[in-house]
């Protein structure tokens, strides 16, 4: 995978995971009105028109991935991922950090949970799915750890602010999630073995492939941005990075 350096933004490179998934983020007014329209965010949004962009910052010890937008109508974590890129751009990093702010920009544009009628968090094991393409990129880039960040609504699953993880086969999934849970004061939801409850979740498929991963959830109605939810998601992402010294 080739990453292109961005001259106007020091320490930032980008590439594409997929070039068939692009969308106009600005057409989803529920997310667009919550995005600070500085030059960096405008650049990122423009790149999302042409596919699923992935951004690289730093050059360090471990390869970390922050993911948002697995479900296009879970908006707060996608805005938080943009805020995170802005913060990391001027930080001296100890690790190499990759950020995917919109896994399926087309779904975000349409404010839809699914991409091409497929739940991307139940299809990472299905060849040809967008989430499986992401997994291929994770392997190609030799990503060491993954944080997949979502939102959840009341009376849905889990319906509370929480961090999902598993204890086997990647125990560090549990250790990372425990750290985040204690750091930001949210629920810890551990499973004994990855994939025992859900099939094809990105977190589970990564853990089953020996890549310790967690899923963060904050409260916000689907398709909307609840007050304070962007900040809560940002704190989860930041805690994930702090676990590794960033």
């Amino acid at each position: 995978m080739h990453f292109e350096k961005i001259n106007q933004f020091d320490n930032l490179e980008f590439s594409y995971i997929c070039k068939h998934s692009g969308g106009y983020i600005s057409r989803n007014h529920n997310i667009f009105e919550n995005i600070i329209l500085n030059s960096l965010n405008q650049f990122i949004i423009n790149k999302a028109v042409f596919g699923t962009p992935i951004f690289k910052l730093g050059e360090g010890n471990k390869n970390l991935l922050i993911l948002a937008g697995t479900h296009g109508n879970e908006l707060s974590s996608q805005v938080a991922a943009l805020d995170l890129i802005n913060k990391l751009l001027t930080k001296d990093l100890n690790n190499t950090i990759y950020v995917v702010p919109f896994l399926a920009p087309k779904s975000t544009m349409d404010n839809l949970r699914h991409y091409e009628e497929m739940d991307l968090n139940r299809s990472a094991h299905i060849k040809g799915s967008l989430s499986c393409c992401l997994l291929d990129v994770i392997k190609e880039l030799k990503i060491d750890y993954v944080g997949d960040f979502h939102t959840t609504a009341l009376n849905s699953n889990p319906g509370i602010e929480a961090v999902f993880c598993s204890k086997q086969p990647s125990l560090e999934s549990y250790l990372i999630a425990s750290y985040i849970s204690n750091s930001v004061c949210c629920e810890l939801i551990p499973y004994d073995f990855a994939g025992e409850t859900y099939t094809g979740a990105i977190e589970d498929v990564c853990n089953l492939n020996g890549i310790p991963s967690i899923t963060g959830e904050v409260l916000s109605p689907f398709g909307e941005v609840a007050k304070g939810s962007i900040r809560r998601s940002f704190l989860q992402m930041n805690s994930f990075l702090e676990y590794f010294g960033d």
Side-chain angles (χ1 to χ4, degrees), residues 24 28 105-112:
Y24 293 88
N28 182 341
K106 185 178 186 301
S107 296
T108 302
M109 174 182 71
D110 295 331
N111 218 0
L112 295 175

Side-chain angles (χ1 to χ4, degrees), residues 189-201:
I189 303 179
Y191 290 94
D192 289 332
F193 200 90
E196 66 179 2
T197 301
Y198 305 108
T199 300

